[in-house]
Amino acid sequence: MQLTGAQIIVQALIDQGVDTVFGYPGGSVLNIYDALYDKRDQLRHILTSHEQGAAHAADGYARSTGKTGVVIATSGPGATNLITGIATAYMDSIPMVAITGNVAMDMLGRDSFQEIDITGITMPITKHNYLVTDAAELAGVIREALVIAHSGRPGPVLIDVPKDITAQLAEYVPQPHYQLRELPQPTVESLKQAAAAIRSSKRPLIYAGGGVVAAGASEELLAFSRRVEAPISCSSMGLSAVPFDYPLYLGMIGMHGTPVSNYASVECDLLIAVGSRFSDRVACNREKFAPGARVIHIDIDASELSKNVTADISVRGDAKTALRQLAEHLEEQHHDGWVRHLLEYRDQYPLPTPASTAKLHPRDVIYAIRDAVGEDAIICTDVGQHQMLTTQYYRFSRPRTFISSCGLGTMGYGMGAALGAQAGNPEKPVVLITGDGSFHMNMNELACAVSEGFPILVVVLNNSVLGMVRQWQKLFYGERYSCTTIDRKTDFVKLAEAFGALGCRITESREILPTLTAAAKAAREHHCPVVVDCITDRDEGVYPIIPPSGTSEDMIYCD
């Protein structure tokens, strides 16, 4: 059948199983939005307040559902407003397809109104991108983009379509639903080498990253840990892969990791890294990280193997397959003394806890959120102290319930991500934990949450400073607080009401749980977001912290 390019885009998305897209209209995508109008009962479009929010929403949708997020934006500033969101997805290996409009073919390269070379700009931050110059190619490109975005190590793909191509007629032939490309299989030799190293180990430690979550390998990870009796530490991207109450779970590893996780990395004789990239927030000093350990590195991306930390044994494959096959090569291992030693250390050096006072402490707020919303809730964060406190103190039970920009560290990510998480999981509570600095960057997306009737619980840890940057100024810059004491006059309760949401405030510790519980209930009953303004002390820090380029021996445990 003959369809316009715009109609082909919409129909191809539907035929490939896409049911939700995020975006913002504009001149170069008017034909696409006109085609969306006819298919609005089959393809849901969520109109955000800003294109960056739409990109983050597609990202949050992907992280929370395991599907590919799709975002649409117009040419020029519409396209460039997606860049931070695309880069965020790229750094954290999140499957996303971004569809941008551009000026007509004969206007390209002429500095036309709202023209930009978006494929050139995004080349370093996408797995692949396209400039489509023939409407007949659109269906195949969309199908291939979805394959690329989700196959192997996931990531974003961009499709740029000139406006006249969206109006061009072409034959549309429906194609079968895309199938992911075959995953690389671990070699038998690499599995044998890894199994031999595990058998000879006396003090093994598993370091689990985002690849475990992406591969849906949580059950395989736990089964493997039990078989070899190896404790597990997670990167921030790996959080939620392991239930907080799993007996061999040590918590997060790295700069703001638990003392026991960082101690274990020093004392272990074998480090089994699964779906992890040894970022500088984990291996703060690459040369001295896990100094006495042999390293087994399991990863789907060959370019990650030995990139940051040299692996003694490399196993290329996705986490789910590799862990299962490696376990099949092993009989049960026993390391009772090692495990007992680490658990005793954990009890001796717990994460800092606040004194029992009336003063409101952000740790108490984060800890209480789970009691207010339940274990199924999806927790989104922005970036800063609140993010690291969430990684330390929130009790995750299920995979894909922690949504955060861990690689790029994007302030302003959280509200858009919460929109996407709620759109993809309407039956689950969604919570955004943010700081006043981050929330000022993305609070415009409250308008979208209100319009969509999303009952998102927004918890603002409001200390009137840029907390994490200020903490670094305190520790490493002689307390020279340059431009981090912001003291905005924003009243977040009134702000919420102005957007059509609900708002409330917490100032004392005794108010935390009853207020959060009531706010979560109100969000559900009124089908709208609720903003909880939590007034906290600007001098509260996030500890422990390993200084940049430091080791566990340099860890600062408290003020």
Side-chain angles (χ1 to χ4, degrees):
M1 54 184 164
Q2 289 277 312
L3 297 178
T4 66
Q7 291 170 324
I8 290 173
I9 290 171
V10 172
Q11 191 60 53
L13 289 172
I14 293 169
D15 289 347
Q16 296 304 314
V18 176
D19 56 18
T20 303
V21 298
F22 305 86
Y24 204 93
S28 291
V29 289
L30 275 176
N31 292 330
I32 298 174
Y33 274 82
D34 191 61
L36 278 169
Y37 185 85
D38 290 330
K39 299 292 183 179
R40 59 191 183 278
D41 58 336
Q42 298 178 56
L43 186 58
R44 182 186 187 188
H45 179 276
I46 294 179
L47 177 65
T48 58
S49 298
H50 190 279
E51 290 91 352
Q52 183 175 331
H56 293 326
D59 175 305
Y61 176 90
R63 294 188 201 227
S64 62
T65 64
K67 302 176 183 178
T68 298
V70 179
V71 60
I72 300 173
T74 194
S75 62
T80 57
N81 282 342
L82 296 180
I83 289 173
T84 298
I86 293 171
T88 300
Y90 184 77
M91 288 288 283
D92 287 349
S93 303
I94 306 303
M96 177 195 295
V97 172
I99 300 171
T100 54
N102 214 325
V103 298
M105 291 282 292
D106 64 349
M107 300 299 289
L108 289 172
R110 299 176 183 273
D111 292 332
S112 304
F113 177 69
Q114 291 193 336
E115 179 196 357
I116 201 74
D117 178 12
I118 194 63
T119 55
I121 290 173
T122 59
M123 190 174 294
I125 54 169
T126 53
K127 286 184 74 176
H128 191 65
N129 62 28
Y130 304 83
L131 173 61
V132 182
T133 58
D134 186 343
E137 299 174 356
L138 277 167
V141 165
I142 286 173
R143 187 173 187 271
E144 186 175 73
L146 289 164
V147 171
I148 293 171
H150 215 125
S151 292
R153 180 179 182 171
V157 177
L158 181 133
I159 305 170
D160 193 35
V161 190
K163 185 172 183 179
D164 53 337
I165 301 304
T166 66
Q168 188 182 78
L169 286 170
E171 189 73 18
Y172 177 70
V173 179
Q175 297 178 333
H177 193 284
Y178 72 91
Q179 299 296 314
L180 299 181
R181 293 171 178 170
E182 288 191 15
L183 297 170
Q185 295 296 308
T187 65
V188 174
E189 182 59 28
S190 67
L191 293 171
K192 286 182 177 179
Q193 290 177 3
I198 292 169
R199 287 191 191 95
S200 64
S201 170
K202 304 298 183 185
R203 301 183 304 278
L205 175 67
I206 298 170
Y207 153 40
V212 175
V213 178
S218 294
E219 289 300 322
E220 286 76 10
L221 177 67
L222 296 177
F224 178 77
S225 169
R226 287 189 286 264
R227 177 164 288 248
V228 302
E229 198 174 18
I232 303 173
S233 296
C234 288
S235 69
S236 57
M237 282 294 296
L239 292 176
S240 81
V242 181
F244 77 97
D245 56 357
Y246 176 60
L248 297 180
Y249 180 51
L250 303 181
M252 190 172 70
I253 190 171
M255 180 174 281
H256 289 288
T258 60
V260 67
S261 284
N262 289 322
Y263 174 78
S265 73
V266 173
E267 293 296 316
C268 68
D269 64 5
L270 180 68
L271 185 70
I272 307 167
V274 187
S276 307
R277 60 180 178 232
F278 292 93
S279 81
D280 61 311
R281 285 305 187 261
V282 171
C284 302
N285 185 321
R286 297 194 304 271
E287 304 303 320
K288 297 180 180 180
F289 184 69
R294 299 184 72 194
V295 175
I296 299 172
H297 194 174
I298 300 170
D299 205 281
I300 197 169
D301 186 352
S303 68
E304 286 295 338
L305 299 171
S306 293
K307 183 179 80 174
N308 290 327
V309 171
T310 301
D312 296 282
I313 301 166
S314 296
V315 180
R316 190 188 176 200
D318 86 300
K320 193 178 188 73
T321 302
L323 288 171
R324 185 177 65 248
Q325 292 185 358
L326 183 53
E328 291 170 355
H329 280 72
L330 287 163
E331 57 283 350
E332 283 192 5
Q333 307 293 303
H334 299 285
H335 305 103
D336 296 350
W338 167 238
V339 170
R340 184 168 57 253
H341 173 61
L342 291 179
L343 297 184
E344 288 173 355
Y345 188 94
R346 182 177 65 185
D347 292 340
Q348 187 176 359
Y349 299 99
L351 285 171
T353 54
S356 179
T357 66
K359 181 180 175 182
L360 184 64
H361 199 289
R363 297 186 192 113
D364 291 343
V365 176
I366 289 168
Y367 195 82
I369 288 172
R370 189 178 189 271
D371 294 328
V373 297
E375 63 182 17
D376 287 332
I378 297 171
I379 305 301
C380 305
T381 80
D382 269 301
V383 171
Q385 286 181 320
H386 65 275
Q387 177 193 34
M388 291 298 97
L389 289 167
T390 301
T391 65
Q392 291 177 334
Y393 290 96
Y394 196 86
R395 296 161 289 162
F396 295 99
S397 297
R398 292 179 172 79
R400 298 193 180 276
T401 54
F402 177 57
I403 312 295
S404 191
S405 172
C406 299
L408 196 63
T410 306
M411 290 180 69
Y413 168 81
M415 192 67 217
L419 293 174
Q422 192 71 84
N425 304 269
E427 76 291 350
K428 292 184 179 180
V430 172
V431 181
L432 168 61
I433 301 174
T434 185
D436 53 302
S438 284
F439 194 51
H440 272 113
M441 290 189 174
N442 67 5
M443 60 191 180
N444 58 332
E445 295 303 343
L446 270 177
C448 175
V450 170
S451 297
E452 294 291 335
F454 286 161
I456 299 168
L457 180 63
V458 180
V459 180
V460 184
L461 299 180
N462 183 0
N463 58 7
S464 296
V465 297
L466 301 179
M468 185 61 83
V469 188
R470 190 175 189 273
Q471 179 174 337
W472 279 50
Q473 289 172 335
K474 176 181 179 179
L475 294 174
F476 311 125
Y477 290 85
E479 299 185 15
R480 292 161 58 87
Y481 299 124
S482 176
C483 301
T484 52
T485 304
I486 51 178
D487 282 326
R488 305 290 193 204
K489 302 304 180 185
T490 309
D491 184 326
F492 289 116
V493 175
K494 291 181 179 178
L495 179 85
E497 293 168 354
F499 274 109
L502 301 175
C504 57
R505 185 170 287 114
I506 301 175
T507 59
E508 295 183 6
S509 60
R510 61 184 176 83
E511 301 169 339
I512 295 173
L513 186 56
T515 303
L516 290 174
T517 303
K521 181 180 179 182
R524 293 191 303 270
E525 290 180 348
H526 294 275
H527 305 286
C528 74
V530 176
V531 177
V532 184
D533 185 16
C534 303
I535 308 301
T536 62
D537 191 326
R538 66 186 58 193
D539 291 318
E540 292 291 352
V542 182
Y543 296 97
I545 178 174
I546 298 175
S549 302
T551 69
S552 297
E553 295 178 352
D554 305 309
M555 183 176 70
I556 302 169
Y557 189 70
C558 61
D559 282 323

